Amino acid sequence: FRGEEDFPGPRTMQATARWLTEHAPHHRAKGEPFMLFVDEFDPHEPFDTPEPWQGRYEDEPWEGERLIWPPYVVGGVSGGNLSEAEARHVRANYGAKLSMIDHWFGRLLDELDRHQLWHDTAVIVCTDHGHYLGERDVHGRDVWGKPGVPVYRPLGHIPMLVAWPGVAPGTVDALTTSTDIIPIVKWTG
């Protein structure tokens, strides 16, 4: 990648913002509803980011080759493959990638503001899974990635954010899954 804008996450968010700029006003002017589904792959391995994101969450400067892949092994359990410093480094790289994607997602939300789409556009943000970053399983072993182990909180407790026109912001304490989006879209369609 030549620059930050060339990374997959920023490219996806830029393309989405461009679509909103070029198409949403035309749909609105014609009274036509639209649905825009955006599948943003990041934050995902490899946890590589350019400056100014790289190193943002390091306690001290990292010496040596950057670790941008969690230590995948059979069953996803590292068995002590990483030192504490290496584990912190991988987590810091994950956090940097997440922050970079959040930044570009913020630019997409700015486009919703710019085109005043919030009053007639539902926005749903969710993900398919979390990510283990060295949390301990019931046997006290480090778990990395998305291995074939039980679904513990870091992997299965995922966000679902819904901004709905005319509904005040709030929190709903209910069990939801990403399959709950289908009835929402069907109900409104």
Side-chain angles (χ1 to χ4, degrees):
F1 307 114
R2 283 180 240 118
E4 181 178 339
E5 301 81 20
D6 299 318
F7 278 71
R11 287 183 66 178
T12 299
M13 294 301 162
Q14 289 173 92
T16 304
R18 219 173 13 258
W19 190 94
L20 285 173
T21 297
E22 294 170 3
H23 299 283
H26 302 293
H27 285 283
R28 178 186 273 162
K30 294 179 182 179
E32 298 174 347
F34 68 88
M35 177 178 174
L36 175 61
F37 176 85
V38 180
D39 184 4
E40 174 40 57
F41 190 67
D42 281 328
H44 207 277
E45 308 91 332
F47 303 146
D48 57 337
T49 56
E51 295 293 343
W53 309 104
Q54 183 180 3
R56 175 175 280 214
Y57 299 109
E58 299 284 359
D59 294 334
E60 53 192 60
W62 179 253
E63 299 293 328
E65 185 176 339
R66 290 180 60 224
L67 303 176
I68 59 174
W69 287 89
Y72 284 105
V73 295
V74 176
V77 180
S78 73
N81 289 345
L82 295 181
S83 69
E84 278 299 315
E86 290 169 330
R88 281 193 308 274
H89 178 65
V90 170
R91 287 185 200 105
N93 288 332
Y94 176 83
K97 192 151 198 188
L98 183 60
S99 291
M100 180 178 77
I101 298 307
D102 283 351
H103 168 77
W104 286 91
F105 180 63
R107 288 187 173 189
L108 173 60
L109 297 179
D110 290 344
E111 287 303 303
L112 290 166
D113 289 341
R114 191 165 75 85
H115 297 290
Q116 301 176 350
L117 292 170
W118 290 106
H119 73 278
D120 63 358
T121 304
V123 177
I124 303 170
V125 179
C126 67
T127 186
D128 55 343
H129 58 76
H131 201 91
Y132 294 119
L133 294 169
E135 290 83 4
R136 305 278 180 182
D137 69 4
V138 294
H139 305 290
R141 301 172 299 186
D142 294 346
V143 182
W144 293 91
K146 306 168 294 284
V149 299
V151 177
Y152 299 112
R153 188 174 185 88
L155 191 69
H157 188 223
I158 59 174
M160 180 182 291
L161 308 171
V162 178
W164 200 268
V167 177
T171 301
V172 176
D173 186 19
L175 177 63
T176 61
T177 67
S178 53
T179 58
D180 292 322
I181 296 171
I182 296 167
I184 292 171
V185 173
K186 186 173 183 176
W187 176 68
T188 61

